[in-house]
Amino acid sequence: MMRTRPLKVALLGCGVVGSEVARIMTTHADDLTARIGAPVEIAGVAVRRPSKVREGIDPALITTDATALVKRGDIDVVIEVIGGIEPARALITTAFEHGASVVSANKALLAQDGAALHAAAEEHGRDLYYEAAVAGAIPLIRPLRESLAGDKVNRVLGIVNGTTNFILDKMDSTGAGYQEALDEATALGYAEADPTADVEGFDAAAKAAILAGIAFHTRVRLDDVYREGMTEVTAADFASAKEMGCTIKLLAICERAADGASVTARVHPAMIPLSHPLASVRGAYNAVFVESEAAGRLMFYGPGAGGSPTASAVLGDLVAVCRNRLSGATGPGDSAYAALPVSPMGDVVTRYHISLDVADKPGVLAQVATVFAEHGVSIDTVRQQGKDGEASLVVVTHRASDAALTGTVEALRSLDTVRGVASIMRVEGE
Ligand code: NDP
Ligand code: HSE
């Protein structure tokens, strides 16, 4: 039975994502009505700058008083696409208190306060959905929360930030400079309001915290995620990667320990072989591998940023939340029952590519090799190239713990013959 009284939506934010949400809600109104079982209409749009011209939005709906909008008794669903911590957090909490369910794309907030927001949703019997918060258009949260709810996920690995993938891809394929590529990503609407969040890895770390929490049914806080951005990746790193048959990607990696007793979550640039499917993820696309006990290896791929792709994920959540509302149900809530400890980065085991500037004289290679051996780090390959009486030494290790590698690098730095450690990069995907 089709309900004629519309479900009312408060749209908080009408920027890159919000404007596309509004556009699709208008242009696909009939389909959305049929799929939900009731019409759904925008009852108000909260923004910061009311005088800005917004195509396709009825000016009468615009308000700068977002709090008053979410407090209205007739709002069924609040879509939060403002971003940042405040006022988004207060607005979402107020929305639950006043009876609305919430759809959000705000990974920064969910990574920081997801537990409290889920608790507020549960207390008020409402939904909190956030498919758009991780990997743009790619359905990933719902497969992890629902489709894989009967399986045991052991690893989630992938590219979860469109901006940095866009920049790294441009640097690698066209030789573009970092700033030029970042400016283009910003103009295309991929970057966060403060792009530092993208390039320093905070955005990917927030997404890793969300993914690890859902995948391992464990509370993973933003601070639990080891984070390195991509601002230090140089053209020389790309050249070195190429010589190894690799490229460089900013990866998010969430893993259950082999004994199943703990988990780790990390974000950092890594070399991956050109033959690996992640190496061919171009532009602002994202791709995530999920490895689980029964299903095996699953790959999720698609546009990871941008207004229209992100709006697709928001709209999917809107339909789900509206259906729940009509049937008087709520979707899956928070699940952190496993409560596994999150291990520090030192426990992570992987391979490393290390570039050293050393004196070009007899015995130096043996000295360097001894330091690796003393720290229990086994060398896979060594490549040396002379330059003006000095030499550049590139060492690729076998698998070693991050703690052992850190100890090795500290000891190398203290050698007189080692002029400098030019770069250290993890090697993944082999
Ligand atoms: P924008 O900066 O383009 O839009 C933000 C919107 O929020 C603007 O309309 C702005 O108003 C409004 N706003 C800001 N502060 C307030 C406030 N205090 N009260 C009311 N409205 C306010 O951001 P995006 O659309 O790019 O991102 C929105 C959210 O979606 C963020 O959480 C982001 O992380 C997330 N996201 C973004 C993706 C993307 O590709 N852009 C992809 C996935 C998620 P005004 O228009 O007047 O300035
Ligand atoms: N700034 C984010 C990115 C938006 O580039 O991936 C999508 O979450």
Side-chain angles (χ1 to χ4, degrees):
M1 269 276 283
M2 185 69 74
R3 188 178 102 156
T4 50
R5 188 165 56 83
L7 288 152
K8 296 206 172 173
V9 172
L11 180 60
L12 310 184
C14 192
V16 172
V17 179
S19 59
E20 281 299 299
V21 169
R23 183 187 64 77
I24 299 171
M25 282 185 70
T26 307
T27 54
H28 294 186
D30 291 346
D31 286 326
L32 290 172
T33 300
R35 290 171 197 175
I36 289 168
V40 58
E41 71 175 31
I42 297 178
V45 181
V47 296
R48 206 172 19 186
R49 296 166 296 162
S51 52
K52 188 178 169 207
V53 177
R54 298 173 200 269
E55 205 185 319
I57 307 272
D58 178 355
L61 295 177
I62 298 285
T63 176
T64 52
D65 193 346
T67 306
L69 178 58
V70 298
K71 279 185 175 173
R72 269 172 54 170
D74 61 339
I75 300 296
D76 296 287
V77 183
V78 167
I79 298 179
E80 185 276 308
V81 280
I82 290 177
I85 304 303
E86 292 293 357
R89 172 171 48 195
L91 290 168
I92 290 175
T93 308
T94 306
F96 290 136
E97 287 165 359
H98 286 77
S101 284
V102 173
V103 173
S104 173
N106 193 336
K107 50 273 166 131
L109 177 60
L110 283 152
Q112 183 177 306
D113 281 321
L117 294 176
H118 271 294
E122 201 174 327
E123 182 189 342
H124 295 283
R126 294 294 178 246
D127 275 327
L128 173 60
Y129 275 48
Y130 45 92
E131 185 63 69
V134 181
I138 307 173
L140 187 58
I141 301 288
R142 200 151 325 151
L144 282 170
R145 267 174 127 181
E146 300 182 33
S147 320
L148 290 164
D151 204 341
K152 181 179 180 187
V153 176
N154 289 321
R155 196 164 191 239
V156 180
L157 173 149
I159 296 165
V160 294
N161 183 273
T163 302
T164 48
N165 200 59
F166 183 89
I167 297 170
L168 290 170
D169 183 26
K170 284 261 167 192
M171 286 171 73
D172 188 22
S173 58
T174 69
Y178 162 78
Q179 192 58 49
E180 179 194 343
L182 173 58
D183 290 347
E184 198 177 340
T186 305
L188 289 165
Y190 302 149
E192 293 303 301
D194 175 2
T196 311
D198 296 292
V199 297
E200 294 297 355
F202 291 102
D203 180 80
K207 291 164 176 169
I210 294 169
L211 289 175
I214 298 172
F216 306 135
H217 300 272
T218 281
R219 188 81 58 226
V220 179
R221 294 171 301 116
L222 192 50
D223 289 350
D224 293 326
V225 182
Y226 173 83
R227 177 195 54 80
E228 267 177 46
M230 49 69 65
T231 49
E232 316 246 299
V233 177
T234 62
D237 291 325
F238 275 111
S240 208
K242 256 185 200 124
E243 279 175 31
M244 281 180 62
C246 288
T247 188
I248 298 170
K249 296 288 185 188
L250 185 77
L251 298 185
I253 305 174
C254 313
E255 289 170 310
R256 191 189 290 276
D259 64 2
S262 62
V263 297
T264 52
R266 55 190 163 117
V267 166
H268 53 72
M271 290 188 183
I272 50 166
L274 290 169
S275 56
H276 193 282
L278 288 178
S280 47
V281 175
R282 312 291 303 271
Y285 273 67
N286 285 183
V288 179
F289 283 95
V290 176
E291 292 171 23
S292 68
E293 208 168 81
R297 223 167 170 218
L298 307 166
M299 183 177 175
F300 299 83
Y301 171 79
S308 170
T310 307
S312 163
V314 171
L315 265 293
D317 280 354
L318 176 66
V319 170
V321 165
C322 287
R323 285 173 178 160
N324 288 346
R325 217 160 156 103
L326 290 180
S327 65
T330 51
D334 198 17
S335 172
Y337 73 90
L340 294 168
V342 185
S343 298
M345 186 61 186
D347 288 1
V348 165
V349 174
T350 188
R351 298 178 67 212
Y352 300 86
H353 173 285
I354 303 132
S355 295
L356 304 169
D357 294 325
V358 298
D360 195 2
K361 58 185 190 186
V364 172
L365 189 55
Q367 222 181 10
V368 167
T370 303
V371 169
F372 277 87
E374 281 170 356
H375 289 83
V377 179
S378 167
I379 293 175
D380 181 18
T381 61
V382 181
R383 204 175 62 242
Q384 181 173 337
Q385 209 171 18
K387 55 172 190 191
D388 309 331
E390 308 236 314
S392 154
L393 208 56
V394 174
V395 178
V396 179
T397 73
H398 287 296
R399 282 166 63 78
S401 75
D402 218 78
L405 197 278
T406 303
T408 307
V409 171
E410 263 170 35
L412 287 170
R413 283 190 211 276
S414 68
L415 292 180
D416 288 345
T417 47
V418 173
R419 309 287 189 233
V421 180
S423 87
I424 306 165
M425 201 164 299
R426 297 170 183 90
V427 182
E428 303 285 344
E430 290 180 318

